[in-house]
Amino acid sequence: MKRIMRFAAAAAALLCCAVSCGSRTVSTDNVSATLKMHSNRTAEDVSKEMEGDWETTSSTINGEPCDFVRDKFTFTDNGNGTFYDKEGGLHQITWHITESGGITITYVETDETTAPYELSNEVLTLTEDTDEGVRETCISKTKSPEKDKDDKEN
């Protein structure tokens, strides 16, 4: 009988311990996470998707629309391209695929390189922290070489 009582007491103690451990809230104030993206697309796939004419189509700060310059770009499949400034001036750019599958653009004249854009469904999205908040800028494809070729044939 003593053995059964000790067993019951031990089981009750373990049950209380398990219940009390699971009911405490734990602070997540100092917890951070990092996400590293890897693309399953080949460089050739990305190059084909990048080739064509693109333009800035939206920009938001903390999810709210904000003013932006409607920049225009032409990307070729060999990592080169052109950028048209707001006055229509033509400038040389290069682009390359990062290890994580993002796309960076380098403006040749100034040697300025952007943070990586995420490429998804013919939209390049750049998310960056600014003094105003989190800014998200989207550059969308306006014309691809295949579409242009099909339009000329019809």
Side-chain angles (χ1 to χ4, degrees):
M1 185 73 157
K2 283 184 178 179
R3 196 179 274 181
I4 293 174
M5 291 299 271
R6 282 190 219 157
F7 178 74
L14 284 173
L15 183 60
C16 286
C17 206
V19 170
S20 69
C21 289
S23 64
R24 287 189 310 186
T25 57
V26 177
S27 172
T28 58
D29 292 342
N30 295 322
V31 175
S32 65
T34 302
L35 175 65
K36 192 169 187 179
M37 298 289 292
H38 292 281
S39 176
N40 60 354
R41 294 181 290 180
T42 66
E44 185 177 303
D45 292 340
V46 173
S47 284
K48 286 181 182 176
E49 190 173 345
M50 286 292 295
E51 188 177 358
D53 295 333
W54 299 68
E55 75 177 47
T56 308
T57 53
S58 68
S59 190
T60 61
I61 296 178
N62 297 330
E64 296 294 320
C66 63
D67 292 334
F68 65 94
V69 176
R70 193 169 291 277
D71 293 324
K72 295 183 183 209
F73 302 85
T74 298
F75 297 108
T76 60
D77 66 354
N78 62 3
N80 291 311
T82 50
F83 162 70
Y84 302 87
D85 62 27
K86 61 184 175 187
E87 288 84 31
L90 185 65
H91 305 276
Q92 176 90 23
I93 59 172
T94 60
W95 63 272
H96 89 277
I97 305 165
T98 65
E99 286 182 18
S100 63
I103 305 294
T104 59
I105 301 170
T106 302
Y107 298 87
V108 173
E109 292 172 15
T110 61
D111 204 30
E112 176 188 345
T113 299
T114 66
Y117 283 83
E118 181 181 323
L119 175 61
S120 178
N121 297 322
E122 296 188 341
V123 175
L124 289 167
T125 305
L126 175 64
T127 304
E128 55 191 340
D129 290 323
T130 68
D131 292 339
E132 302 167 284
V134 177
R135 183 180 197 108
E136 185 173 278
T137 303
C138 295
I139 301 173
S140 300
K141 195 170 203 178
T142 58
K143 188 171 36 170
S144 66
E146 293 82 28
K147 287 180 187 175
D148 193 34
K149 183 179 174 186
D150 290 344
D151 290 344
K152 288 179 183 175
E153 289 175 356
N154 291 329

